[in-house]
Amino acid sequence: DIQMTQSPSSLSASVGDRVTIACQASQDISTFLNWYQQKPGKAPTLLIYDASNLETGVPSRFSGSGAGTDFTFTISSLQPEDFATYYCQQSDNLPPTFGQGTKLEIK
Amino acid sequence: QVQLQESGPGLVKPSETLSLTCSVSGGSISSSTYYWAWIRQPPGKGLEWIGNIYYSDTNYRNPSLKSRVTLSVDRSKNQFSLKLSSVAAADTAVYYCARSWRYGAAPGKIDYWGQGILVTVSS
């Protein structure tokens, strides 16, 4: 299985901050990398697909980049509703695998 | 708007079989564009891919669970189902059904999820 490693595991930030989360794959996954947001008690929601494509309806403050094994996810200006857990997921090889998550908390 | 809804028992005894069904509305399960997936999340932990099925019944099961997982699809009811046999406490989790795009070697982006159902394994 491809291992996905996110860093940091948790992060404290303030409204208006720029935040970046890293995701590293254990092998080359091209750009088959997706990002999800999960709030407590809710299912994840898709934010970014194929490394850098913004899902329809998702605010433009969210962005993603990278290829191969190293990827980043950025929120340009944190809003109160953005405090949640974020997961990366590779869709290059079976089984699809997820990072362990990054919990974004209010400072 | 596509909606997915899981149903099934919330409590299963150890060694028994967990059975869940996902009902899809607002779209056809017979579309060639999508896989239909099961993903689980133990309390306070991360996400694990259980398996996925195509409308033709072709399916993939995570090797970590393969011997215990059965996937099926009922096109007439627009539903797909999961059976997990010989459950243990470690199978306690929120189980999600989801729709994943079919365009690469593996299922692609997951754009619709069910709300999830907590299944507890306990006697």
Side-chain angles (χ1 to χ4, degrees):
Chain A
D1 296 6
I2 295 177
Q3 305 303 313
M4 306 301 294
T5 304
Q6 288 180 234
S7 60
S9 295
S10 63
L11 177 59
S12 294
S14 301
V15 173
D17 284 353
R18 179 182 180 88
V19 165
T20 298
I21 298 169
C23 179
Q24 185 171 60
S26 60
Q27 65 187 68
D28 189 336
I29 59 169
S30 183
T31 56
F32 292 104
L33 190 284
N34 309 306
W35 290 96
Y36 302 88
Q37 177 192 70
Q38 186 177 35
K39 295 183 178 179
K42 301 293 187 183
T45 59
L46 176 67
L47 300 177
I48 302 289
Y49 66 94
D50 296 347
S52 61
N53 295 289
L54 193 67
E55 176 68 355
T56 302
V58 173
S60 59
R61 63 180 181 274
F62 296 100
S63 64
S65 64
T69 60
D70 294 299
F71 301 86
T72 58
F73 171 79
T74 300
I75 308 173
S76 60
S77 178
L78 270 175
Q79 298 302 300
E81 61 268 29
D82 299 339
F83 292 95
T85 300
Y86 294 85
Y87 292 93
C88 62
Q89 177 233 342
Q90 66 83 14
S91 52
D92 180 59
N93 264 12
L94 290 167
T97 47
F98 296 85
Q100 80 279 15
T102 295
K103 187 173 183 179
L104 180 52
E105 298 174 307
I106 301 173
K107 185 182 285 185
Chain B
Q1 176 79 346
V2 174
Q3 291 185 311
L4 293 86
Q5 178 71 58
E6 304 89 352
S7 60
L11 180 64
V12 181
K13 290 182 168 56
S15 80
E16 295 190 344
T17 296
L18 177 162
S19 295
L20 297 174
T21 295
C22 183
S23 298
V24 180
S25 59
S28 173
I29 204 168
S30 297
S31 171
S32 60
T33 306
Y34 309 111
Y35 291 114
W36 304 94
W38 290 99
I39 297 158
R40 70 179 182 178
Q41 185 172 37
K45 297 189 177 180
L47 298 155
E48 180 183 27
W49 192 278
I50 300 170
N52 53 270
I53 193 164
Y54 193 49
Y55 76 96
S56 62
D57 245 349
T58 304
N59 68 85
Y60 168 82
R61 295 164 289 164
N62 192 323
S64 67
L65 298 166
K66 185 173 183 176
S67 63
R68 298 196 290 132
V69 169
T70 302
L71 302 174
S72 61
V73 63
D74 186 333
R75 291 181 295 279
S76 67
K77 294 182 178 179
N78 225 35
Q79 294 177 337
F80 61 106
S81 298
L82 165 70
K83 292 186 187 297
L84 180 65
S85 63
S86 304
V87 298
D91 294 311
T92 293
V94 174
Y95 286 76
Y96 295 103
C97 61
R99 187 181 86 169
S100 176
W101 283 64
R102 176 176 174 264
Y103 54 78
K109 65 178 183 177
I110 305 163
D111 60 350
Y112 287 99
W113 299 68
Q115 66 184 24
I117 183 169
L118 174 62
V119 179
T120 302
V121 178
S122 176
S123 55

